[in-house]
């Protein structure tokens, strides 16, 4: 073999080794959620855009612990079996240091045991199911964290509104879709109604694909219900307000944050879309920092209303990075312990996080952090009234 050939092969081998070493030094993060299959895929796509922006900003400053961050995404197409498979691939094959997502609460519940068994931190930035961040058993180490809306926190705020609005909200009705999401929310509604001393006059359920809820609404009307609290996804909430129009019955409507989805607005139409009051983490009026991110990624957003999830995604990466720096390690247990006791404030785009988590609380956002919203002229506008202005932290019982 000629010397030149030996030299070329030696150089090639050295390059491959260097590339492998550089790859091994990267901190891999995984995203596991719906990116294609359902209306909620818009939320997952936005969260990934926010995460990518945060990773780019961190890497531009040298990364974390001198290592670059890289993101590996897996689309679970809203299917629990696929989501479980994705978790195993991300942890066992891709060797990610942490997982973010998912989009659907049911999928998180299907695989949270995997993250806990393998001691891999998960920071949810879309799904809102109350039980996602609860430990697997009493006093068990818990690797599930969240920076997003939380069903129980939303319900606490909505029922606080009902309680404070007692002069107008005299007869309360609860309505929910029959999915796990709907029934989980209904459970929270019933429990917090009891905490608030609120008597529920009627409770009705409907299918997620139903287009006519007039039967259930007529029962509400007969019971004298003047305020309806609804837990459902965007399209069924739209069908509900359309059914209200059919029988000319418009009680005060308080709903889950799913009413922020463009699928709700499109199905309800402009005037009916303005009926419900709900909450989310941001209105269409952005801070300068939020506006800067919006301008960076807006061309890739499938719907402008999904931008809130990009903010969740951005902040979730920033909190993870802060925990890694504090732990001086990407070891799962060390990062979990750091997240539970962050020593320095973390400047996010939604807020400045000061000790957002503890050993017993893995929710970074509370009811007090949420924004009251109502659709107005096709935009998600901040909403306020005398009841909201009178609410305080003590009113949010949960």
């Amino acid at each position: 073999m000629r010397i030149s050939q030996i030299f070329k092969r030696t150089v090639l081998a050295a390059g491959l080794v260097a590339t492998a070493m550089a790859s091994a030094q990267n901190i891999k993060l995984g995203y596991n959620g719906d990116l294609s299959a359902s209306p909620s895929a818009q939320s997952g796509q936005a969260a990934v855009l926010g995460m990518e922006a945060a990773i780019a900003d961190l890497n531009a400053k040298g990364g974390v612990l001198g290592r670059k961050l890289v993101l590996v995404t897996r689309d679970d197409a809203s299917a629990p079996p696929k989501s479980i498979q994705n978790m195993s691939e991300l942890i066992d094959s891709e060797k990610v240091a942490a997982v973010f997502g998912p989009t659907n609460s049911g999928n998180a519940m299907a695989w949270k045991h995997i993250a806990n068994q393998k001691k891999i931190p998960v920071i949810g930035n879309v799904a809102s199911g109350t039980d996602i961040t609860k430990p697997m058993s009493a006093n068990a180490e818990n690797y599930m964290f969240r920076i997003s809306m939380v069903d129980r926190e939303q319900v606490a705020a909505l029922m606080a509104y009902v309680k404070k609005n007692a002069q107008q909200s005299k007869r309360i009705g609860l309505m929910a879709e029959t999915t796990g999401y709907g029934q989980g929310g209904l459970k929270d509604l019933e429990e917090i109604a009891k905490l608030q001393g609120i008597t529920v006059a009627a409770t009705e359920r409907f299918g997620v694909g139903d287009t006519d809820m007039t039967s259930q609404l007529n029962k509400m009307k007969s019971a004298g219900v003047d305020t309806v609290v609804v837990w459902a996804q965007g399209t069924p909430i739209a069908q509900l307000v359309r059914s209200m129009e059919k029988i000319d019955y418009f009680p005060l409507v308080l709903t889950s944050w799913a009413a922020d989805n463009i699928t709700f607005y499109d199905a309800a139409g402009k005037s009916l879309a303005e009926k419900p009051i709900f909450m989310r983490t941001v209105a269409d009026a952005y801070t300068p920092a939020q506006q800067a991110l919006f301008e960076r990624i807006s061309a890739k957003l499938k719907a402008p209303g999904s931008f809130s999830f990009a903010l969740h995604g951005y902040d979730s990466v920033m909190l993870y990075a802060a925990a890694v720096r504090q732990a001086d390690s990407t070891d799962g247990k060390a990062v979990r312990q750091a997240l539970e006791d962050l020593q320095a404030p973390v400047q996010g785009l939604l807020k400045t996080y000061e000790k957002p988590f503890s050993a017993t609380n893995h929710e970074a956002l509370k009811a007090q952090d949420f924004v009251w919203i109502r659709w107005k002229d096709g935009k998600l506008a901040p909403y306020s009234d005398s009841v909201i202005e009178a609410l305080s932290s003590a009113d949010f019982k949960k």
Side-chain angles (χ1 to χ4, degrees):
M1 182 180 295
R2 291 183 297 179
I3 297 297
S4 60
Q5 290 178 311
I6 295 174
F7 177 76
K8 288 179 181 179
R9 290 186 180 183
T10 301
V11 170
L12 177 60
L16 291 173
V17 170
T19 300
M21 290 178 64
S23 178
Q25 291 171 352
N26 290 334
I27 300 174
K28 276 189 175 183
L29 306 180
Y31 182 85
N32 180 19
D34 184 8
L35 298 173
S36 66
S38 72
S40 64
Q42 295 177 355
S43 307
Q45 293 159 3
V48 168
L49 289 172
M51 291 182 66
E52 289 173 340
I55 288 170
D57 289 348
L58 289 166
N59 286 344
K61 296 179 180 179
V64 180
L65 303 183
R67 300 163 64 186
K68 298 290 186 180
L69 298 172
V70 295
L71 182 63
V72 181
T73 62
R74 289 289 186 274
D75 183 356
D76 69 17
S78 283
K82 179 61 175 173
S83 203
I84 293 170
Q85 177 185 337
N86 288 350
M87 281 299 285
S88 295
E89 289 180 1
L90 287 169
I91 295 171
D92 298 332
S93 300
E94 294 291 345
K95 307 296 183 185
V96 299
V99 176
F100 297 73
T103 311
N104 306 93
S105 298
N107 288 1
M109 296 302 294
W111 51 246
K112 63 182 284 187
H113 66 284
I114 298 175
N116 280 294
Q117 288 170 358
K118 299 190 176 184
K119 302 184 186 302
I120 297 295
V122 172
I123 304 183
N125 46 29
V126 180
S128 61
T130 298
D131 290 343
I132 290 173
T133 60
K134 290 184 179 180
M136 297 298 296
S137 60
N139 302 316
E141 291 183 351
N142 183 11
Y143 285 79
M144 303 293 291
F145 297 82
R146 174 161 42 196
I147 303 167
S148 185
M149 297 289 276
V150 185
D151 289 352
R152 187 97 176 174
E153 294 288 339
Q154 293 176 72
V155 170
L158 296 179
M159 299 310 286
Y161 185 102
V162 170
K163 182 71 172 181
K164 191 74 77 173
N165 193 45
Q167 289 188 339
Q168 282 73 44
S169 296
K170 297 178 180 178
R171 301 279 289 175
I172 312 305
L174 305 179
M175 301 188 74
E177 64 181 43
T178 54
T179 63
Y181 173 69
Q183 294 309 293
L186 180 60
K187 177 175 177 288
D188 286 335
L189 287 168
E190 291 172 336
E191 290 177 355
I192 294 179
K194 289 181 180 178
L195 286 176
Q196 289 281 17
I198 296 170
T199 299
V200 177
T203 301
E204 292 293 330
R205 297 167 175 80
F206 50 84
V208 70
D210 290 354
T211 57
D212 187 341
M213 290 85 157
T214 54
S215 174
Q216 295 94 322
L217 287 170
N218 275 318
K219 292 176 184 177
M220 290 279 167
K221 190 175 183 179
S222 297
V225 168
D226 53 40
T227 301
V228 177
V229 188
V230 184
W231 211 259
Q233 297 171 67
T235 301
I237 297 173
Q239 297 300 341
L240 182 66
V241 294
R242 289 175 68 88
S243 295
M244 289 178 176
E245 184 180 44
K246 292 177 184 177
I247 61 173
D248 193 26
Y249 169 56
F250 289 106
L252 172 66
V253 181
L254 304 172
T255 75
S256 73
W257 70 325
D260 78 345
N261 198 295
I262 194 64
T263 59
F264 162 76
Y265 184 84
D266 289 344
K270 181 184 176 187
S271 84
L272 290 176
E274 296 181 1
K275 296 293 184 183
I277 301 169
F278 50 98
M279 304 186 82
R280 66 200 305 261
T281 52
V282 67
D284 276 357
Y286 304 142
T287 67
Q290 291 169 355
Q291 182 64 34
L293 178 63
F294 182 77
E295 291 172 0
R296 286 171 65 182
I297 68 173
S298 59
K300 297 180 181 179
L301 287 172
K302 295 296 178 67
S306 65
F307 177 63
S308 60
F309 298 101
L311 297 173
H312 302 173
Y314 191 98
D315 285 7
S316 63
V317 171
M318 289 302 181
L319 280 172
Y320 173 77
V324 170
R325 291 193 193 100
Q326 181 174 307
D328 195 27
S329 171
T330 59
D331 173 73
K333 184 171 184 177
V335 171
R336 174 185 65 77
Q337 291 173 333
L339 284 169
E340 291 177 342
D341 187 28
L342 284 171
Q343 297 299 303
V346 177
Q347 182 62 57
L349 296 183
L350 286 169
K351 69 173 188 175
T352 298
Y353 299 86
E354 296 187 19
K355 289 192 175 295
F357 306 117
S358 69
T360 56
N361 170 55
H362 284 195
E363 302 289 0
L365 301 177
K366 308 294 189 296
Q368 300 92 309
D369 298 312
F370 301 160
V371 182
W372 292 87
I373 297 288
R374 196 174 214 164
W375 282 96
K376 185 67 176 176
D377 297 326
K379 294 184 178 180
L380 292 162
Y383 174 79
S384 187
D385 57 25
S386 60
V387 177
I388 292 171
E389 290 171 0
L391 290 173
S392 68
S393 298
D395 295 314
F396 301 132
K397 296 182 180 180
K398 52 183 182 291

